Every structure is written in C-alpha cells, then in structure tokens.
Amino acid sequence: MTRKRISLLASFFLLVALTAGLLLPISAAGKVKLTVWGIDLPDDDPAHAYAKALVNGFKAKNPDIELDYVALGNDGLKDKVKVCMASNSGLPDIFQSWGGSVMGSYADAGRLLDLTKELKDIKCSEAARQAMTWKGKTYGVAPFFAIAGVFVNEGLFKAHGLKVPTTIDEFEKVCEALKAKGIQPLACGAKDKWPVLAMYMYLVDRFGGINAFADAAARKARFDGEAFVKAAQLYQKWVKAGYFGSKPLGEAYGDAQVLMATGKAGMHVTGSWMCAQYSSKEFTDQTIGFYAFPVLPGGKGKETDIMGMTDIGYAATRVAAGKKDAVVRFMKYAMSVEACSAEPGRICSVPGVKAPSRLTEMAAGVFAKAKAVQFWWDQDLPASVSSPLNDALQNIMMPEADVAKALAQYEELVTEMMGPVKKK
Amino acid sequence: MATDAGIILEYGRTRKKKRDWRGFVFQLLFLFPAVFFLGLFMFYPIEETFRLSLMRASGLGDTVYIGLENYVKLFTNEEFQQGLLHVFAWAFWSVVIQIPLAFFIAFSLIAFKNKLTSKLRAIYYLASIIPSAIVAMLGRFIFSPRNGVISSLAARWNWTWLANIDFFGDSRLAFWTVFAVATWTYIGFYIVYQMANIEQIPVDIYEAALLDGATRWQYARYVVIPMISYPLRICAILCTVGSLKLFDLPWLLTFGGPGYATTTLGIILYKQGFINAMYGRASAIGVIIFLLSLIFTVTQFSLQRKEGEIEW
C-alpha cells in the first residue's frame, strides 16, 4: 500500500514537473527578444543620458519585448559589426550605425533589413533620413546628427578684442593675434589621426566646392587634384606657422579638449558632439561658442556647405526579419521626443526636441542654414580606404612631409580599391 | 644463452606484434584530442591564412584569387616597408641594448649582493608582468607633451629645450620613445632569466677567479659571459621573434604614427584586417610574420642542437 502511494505521489510530481516544463517555454516564447548593439553604456554618465533614456524607457513601455542592449564602445562596435557582417554570423537585430557607404556596403551584401515602408512616416530632418538611406531604401533611423564647425573661446576673443573670423584671411589674422598673445590658436589632437580630417574637409570644400570630394569618391576626379593639394598645403603652412602649437602631433584629442577647456587654445575645429562638454560648467569655466567654418574669398565652397553626419543612428539586420514589429517599435522610440530630450549636447534630428544648451542651439542654427551636407569622408568612403585617409592626413601635419606625394600615394590606393578615374 | 635469447626474441616478437596493434590504437586514442585541437586551432588557421593571402577578400562579396598580388602590393607599399624596417631595427636594438643592459643589472645584483637584492629582483620583474595597457598609460604619463612628468618638470626648472621636445609627435624621436618604454617593461624578464643562469655557476669558479686576482668585471667578462652564452643567445632569439610580432606598445602609445614613424608589421596587419577589411592583404602580412618567425625559430633550434653536440 505504502509503495503504491509513493509511486502515485512520484507520478503526480512528475506530471506537474512535465506540465511546468512544457508551459514555461510557451510563456517565454510570448516575449520577443531584441538584441541591440550600441556604443554607450546606459549608465549615469551624463554623456550616456540618451542611451540610458532609450534603454530604460523602451523596456518600460514595451514589457512584451525583451531588450538585450549590449554596449561595446566605439571601436568595439565597429570591429564587431565588421567581423560579424563579413562572416554573416552572430549578428544582432539592431546595431548603432553612422549610415553612409559603410552601412551601404552591408546593405549591398544583403545583410540589412529594408524598413523603407515602415519608417517613412517618422518625422526627422532630411539629412538624417538620407544618412540612413542607401540606394533608395531606408534601413534605420538617425535621432542625432553631428556637424563640424569652429568652437571659439568667446571669452578670450572678447578679452583680446578679436572678432570671430568669417573668411580664411580673417582666420589667419586671428591665429596670428592669438599666437602673439601666447595662446595656441587651434586645438586639434592630431596624434589620434582622425581629428585632422574635420578642418581638411572644410578646406577642400572651400577651395574646390562641395563636389570636389563627391567627384573624387565617384571616381570622376583624383584625390590628389588641385583642391586637395592646395588644402593640404595651407594646412601644413598653418602647422609650420605654429597655429597648432609646438607639439601638434604629440597631442591627442583629449589633450585638445583640455586646451580649449582651460583657455589655452582659442579655437577647435571639430564635431558638434563636443557641445555637451564645452557647455558643462564642470568641464570648463570658459565661454565657448559654435560657428560656421570661414569661407575662402575666390574659392568655390560656401558658408552653407556643411560637413556632418549621423551622430547616433540605428540600422536593422536581416536577422530581425521575423520580428519587424519589435524592430520598428524600437526605431520609433529611438526617434521619440521623450527619449531624445534626455540628450545633453547633440543636435537632434527630431522636430519638437528643445536644444539642451546654448552651444547646441548655435550648432543647430549653423546646421539649419546648410544648403549642402557632406558626410564625414572616413565614414562615407569604403572601409579599405577610410583608415589610410586618416594616415595620409596625419602626414600633412608633419612639417617635413611632401603633401602632394602623400596624396598621390593615397590616390594610388583609391585607384586600386575603387578603380581609376573614369574618363569623360 | 643463445637459445634463451632466441626464445626471448621470439617471445618478444610475437608479444610485440599483438602489443603494437593495441599500443597503436591506444596511441591514436590518446593523441587524438591533442592532434584534433592542434589541427583545428593551429594548422587549419595557418592553412587558411596561406590560402586567403592569395585572395582579394573584403569579407563582403566575392573572394577572388589574385595570385601573389597581395605580396607584390605589400612590398611596394611605403607603410609596409617602414613597418618591416622598424621590426628589424627594433630586433637589432633590442639585442644590442636590452640584453647587455639586462646582463649588467643581473650581474650587478649578484656581484653586489645585499639584503635589497631579492627586493630589487622583484621590482625589476614587476615591470614585465604589468599589462601593456598600463605600461602605455605610464609611458604617456611620463612623455606626454603637455602634462607629462618630463615636460612639467622641465617647464618648472625653465629647461625650455627639454620642455619643447615632442617625444611622441616628433617622427625622429617617436621610435626611440616607444623603445625606451618597451625596454623598461621587457628588460625585467631578461634580468631574472640571466640572474637564474648566473646563479647556476659554481661558487668555486668565482673563488678561483678571485684567487687569480680577477676583478668582478673581469670575472664577468672572461668567466660569466662565456658560461651563460647559450642563455644569452636564447634571450637574443626571444627578442628577435618578439620584435617581429610587435604590436601592443607602439599601437597603444602612438597608433604607429606620426606618419609611419612607429608602425610595425603587427599594426599594419591589424589595420588591414580589422579596420580596412582587407582580409587577403592582412593574411599576406600574417604569412610574412609567420615565415620570418619560422626562420628565427629554426635558427633557435639549430643553435640548440649545435650546443647539445658541443656538450656531448
């Protein structure tokens, strides 16, 4: 009798266990899992405020979606996405992307999810939509946009009776005046290579116009053409004149920020992502403003030609084809006024989001006047030639370097990778 | 005796045949995991690297066979030429500077032994176990152009000539600055290794040398160096092979710049493979590093064999 009772009890527990085992996956299956790879941690760092608002807000508003947000850092994200795209394995549903041709190469390889129809009603600036569109198809959203411009230490300028330059001649005069006062005219951070690019893009534009780069990238012109060489020579002339201080190649981007923040440098040509830090009273006690890059009298470029690109964007991969609804809900929330309002510095692409600081407002003002927007070259060119571009540009900061030779070598590489210049 | 030997031989043969078969199976069984994992994680990747080095591969799109084009392009590329030159220069100067310096410190610690010796040995070795990232941070802390220890002290003492030196930004100095940081961290291993070898020399040889009127440095020159010449050679080969694979410190300190002033084969490989997405070209660099390392490793083994023959 006892044995029978025990076996009955055991059978009952077995049945309960089996039923629970069968039911659990069903309840878990009701929740869609969305894997998102980003750069910033959703933590309390003020610079990560948007990532935190996005992750926490999305989780709270979408309890039926299990969000697995993985923060990989800038280089970590780039490397991991590149490797996973190449091997077509281990891809997330959504990844942070700057759009442009890098995203385009993934789209061409069939790795991305076409969301043109689903995202067409999202309100945003045209530049932001274009950045996430490749060959007529939209693959994601770009809630924040960054433009390059001139950060000016207005306090220093006022103290020394200087005016914010609007032409290259004025720019050189201001640099000379600052140098005479013992202030480094320009902060750069050339040790890290990529910070050299922002000013060079503008100089090429001011010499050759907005099409100078576009033509070279489309292989209608060479990268060692007149505008490129003249811009590099002018850049090198400024290095030799000491506008970037006595140790331009020894200073990293972080050093450049410190120079601006402590009033040791007068200007910094870089991206508007610095608005948050240059507005922060904890970071700097200087009064800093944001202005458009000066024009070159007689040059082809205009003040309204702006260099810029997606600052934060998200693109979806084909892995998420079966959960399009969850992906679209994430994209829409990423573009919501609620999430975007948490950002302390970047220029927002979403209408209705108030600029968080005077600096961001100034940068947004410059962006609003833009008639032509050119994407960051190192994001817009294929990966095989983007890093060598930054190497070549660091060369022009070396006083002894032959800039024409450095650009000719770069053109050789572009010819190999992207083909020769097409004859008209 | 002969019969016994024959029986034993016969017995041995028949037993051996059976034992061999079983032994063979067992050997296979025991070797299988090691061979499998070696094959999977070592030989297969090496074979794939060789194969990929003959391809144009970006990871996305088609992989195209291009023969030796990757190698031709590499050897005509200025960055690669500079990288190759730097690893050889690095290897040469490592052998010329690091090993004698390590010997000098190792011998001094033993010759002038006192209660600080063991602590100093630990301090020297500590530098070699610190992760490269921290070593690089320390290097930047010392040589940084604006807030570095050297520039700050020089500015305070009004030594403008020193304060104006751009250790990482001047292309003529950057290589030596990185080399100085590397010497500080790498030398610890060689000191401990050489100390261990010097301590193996019997004390009576030292005493005999003293009786013959030799000074400490004469003892070092005529007794110690010849007696530890083999470990010194091993140090030299380790230096050379390590230089060929050099990546971490130059990358963390200067990203290979300014220009190509501190670039190495390892840095170029990383950039081609992980930044430029040119996997074929990166594989070709991998093959070159592999072959150069192989040459030096074979040299190492042949020296070892030669040494063994001398001792025999």
Side-chain angles (χ1 to χ4, degrees), chain A residues 82 184 191 247 416-417, chain B residues 146 163 253 275 278 281:
Chain A
K82 214 172 275 175
Q184 184 171 317
K191 183 171 177 279
K247 301 171 181 176
E416 184 198 341
M417 294 299 151
Chain B
R146 224 163 255 275
L253 286 166
I275 300 175
M278 291 166 71
R281 194 76 47 98

Side-chain angles (χ1 to χ4, degrees), chain A residues 190-191 193 236 239 246-251 391 394-402, chain B residues 78 82 85-86 89-90 164-179 254 256-263:
Chain A
K191 183 171 177 279
K193 298 186 180 183
Q236 197 182 39
V239 173
S246 59
K247 301 171 181 176
L249 287 158
E251 285 168 1
D391 289 343
Q394 197 194 38
N395 273 321
I396 66 174
M397 296 288 280
M398 296 165 76
E400 70 277 10
D402 180 345
Chain B
E78 192 191 343
Q82 290 288 319
L85 196 71
H86 289 147
W90 189 281
N164 286 337
I165 294 176
D166 190 358
F167 290 100
F168 290 124
D170 187 330
S171 54
R172 293 160 301 178
L173 280 178
F175 177 88
W176 293 107
T177 309
V178 178
F179 187 80
T254 58
Y260 305 132
T262 57
T263 199

Side-chain angles (χ1 to χ4, degrees), chain A residues 408-424:
Chain A
Q409 281 175 343
Y410 180 66
E411 169 59 30
E412 261 178 52
L413 179 79
V414 176
T415 304
E416 184 198 341
M417 294 299 151
M418 296 168 64
V421 171
K422 294 163 203 156
K423 285 176 188 165
K424 285 171 192 171

Side-chain angles (χ1 to χ4, degrees), chain B residues 37-73:
Chain B
F37 285 112
L38 264 177
L40 189 67
F41 295 114
M42 199 170 160
F43 300 123
Y44 174 66
I46 289 173
E47 180 275 322
E48 274 296 284
T49 308
F50 271 84
R51 192 184 64 81
L52 211 55
S53 74
L54 305 174
M55 307 283 176
R56 181 179 293 133
S58 66
L60 300 168
D62 295 335
T63 300
V64 186
Y65 175 77
I66 52 167
L68 294 173
E69 194 184 307
N70 281 326
Y71 293 93
V72 174
K73 294 277 180 193

Side-chain angles (χ1 to χ4, degrees), chain B:
Chain B
M1 277 298 281
T3 323
D4 285 353
I7 291 164
I8 290 164
L9 194 67
E10 192 59 33
Y11 174 77
R13 263 184 205 153
T14 48
R15 290 286 297 165
K16 207 178 170 187
K17 266 185 188 171
K18 280 183 185 171
R19 217 173 32 209
D20 267 354
W21 168 239
R22 280 185 195 165
F24 181 66
V25 172
F26 270 104
Q27 278 167 9
L28 272 186
L29 211 65
F30 282 108
L31 277 174
F32 178 74
V35 171
F36 176 75
F37 285 112
L38 264 177
L40 189 67
F41 295 114
M42 199 170 160
F43 300 123
Y44 174 66
I46 289 173
E47 180 275 322
E48 274 296 284
T49 308
F50 271 84
R51 192 184 64 81
L52 211 55
S53 74
L54 305 174
M55 307 283 176
R56 181 179 293 133
S58 66
L60 300 168
D62 295 335
T63 300
V64 186
Y65 175 77
I66 52 167
L68 294 173
E69 194 184 307
N70 281 326
Y71 293 93
V72 174
K73 294 277 180 193
L74 276 177
F75 281 100
T76 52
N77 176 269
E78 192 191 343
E79 186 181 12
F80 180 80
Q81 289 166 358
Q82 290 288 319
L84 198 62
L85 196 71
H86 289 147
V87 293
F88 284 133
W90 189 281
F92 176 76
W93 290 114
S94 299
V95 172
V96 170
I97 295 173
Q98 288 175 6
I99 294 173
L101 189 62
F103 174 78
F104 176 76
I105 295 169
F107 182 74
S108 302
L109 284 175
I110 290 170
F112 304 98
K113 210 169 203 165
N114 55 45
K115 54 186 175 185
L116 281 176
T117 303
S118 61
K119 291 179 187 75
L120 283 173
R121 187 204 300 246
I123 288 169
Y124 282 120
Y125 190 62
L126 194 68
S128 67
I129 57 167
I130 296 175
S132 303
I134 295 171
V135 173
M137 275 181 71
L138 292 172
R140 289 175 82 155
F141 176 67
I142 292 165
F143 293 107
S144 181
R146 224 163 255 275
N147 308 311
V149 174
I150 294 176
S151 65
S152 302
L153 287 177
R156 182 174 292 179
W157 295 331
N158 281 329
W159 292 356
T160 41
W161 63 272
L162 184 61
N164 286 337
I165 294 176
D166 190 358
F167 290 100
F168 290 124
D170 187 330
S171 54
R172 293 160 301 178
L173 280 178
F175 177 88
W176 293 107
T177 309
V178 178
F179 187 80
V181 178
T183 300
W184 175 76
T185 184
Y186 295 158
I187 205 171
F189 168 76
Y190 299 122
I191 291 172
V192 173
Y193 182 65
Q194 289 182 28
M195 277 181 86
N197 282 287
I198 296 169
E199 279 169 343
Q200 296 294 312
I201 300 170
V203 187
D204 31 342
I205 295 179
Y206 174 60
E207 286 167 353
L210 282 188
L211 276 175
D212 288 341
T215 62
R216 282 197 176 99
W217 295 113
Q218 282 170 332
Y219 168 67
R221 165 73 183 82
Y222 297 105
V223 179
V224 178
I225 292 178
M227 288 195 80
I228 65 158
S229 65
Y230 180 62
L232 284 175
R233 251 181 288 166
I234 295 289
C235 286
I237 286 161
L238 284 176
C239 259
T240 314
V241 175
S243 304
L244 293 172
K245 297 187 287 185
L246 188 68
F247 170 76
D248 50 0
L249 277 178
W251 179 254
L252 292 165
L253 286 166
T254 58
F255 301 112
Y260 305 132
T262 57
T263 199
T264 66
L265 295 185
I267 287 177
I268 303 167
L269 187 152
Y270 173 77
K271 278 162 67 178
Q272 297 286 17
F274 291 92
I275 300 175
N276 303 352
M278 291 166 71
Y279 300 107
R281 194 76 47 98
S283 300
I285 302 168
V287 168
I288 292 166
I289 295 176
F290 173 78
L291 291 175
L292 287 172
S293 302
L294 193 71
I295 291 166
F296 284 105
T297 312
V298 169
T299 315
Q300 179 188 354
F301 279 121
S302 66
L303 279 174
Q304 211 167 350
R305 209 174 295 131
K306 206 177 167 188
E307 188 75 19
E309 279 164 16
I310 292 162
E311 275 177 11
W312 178 258

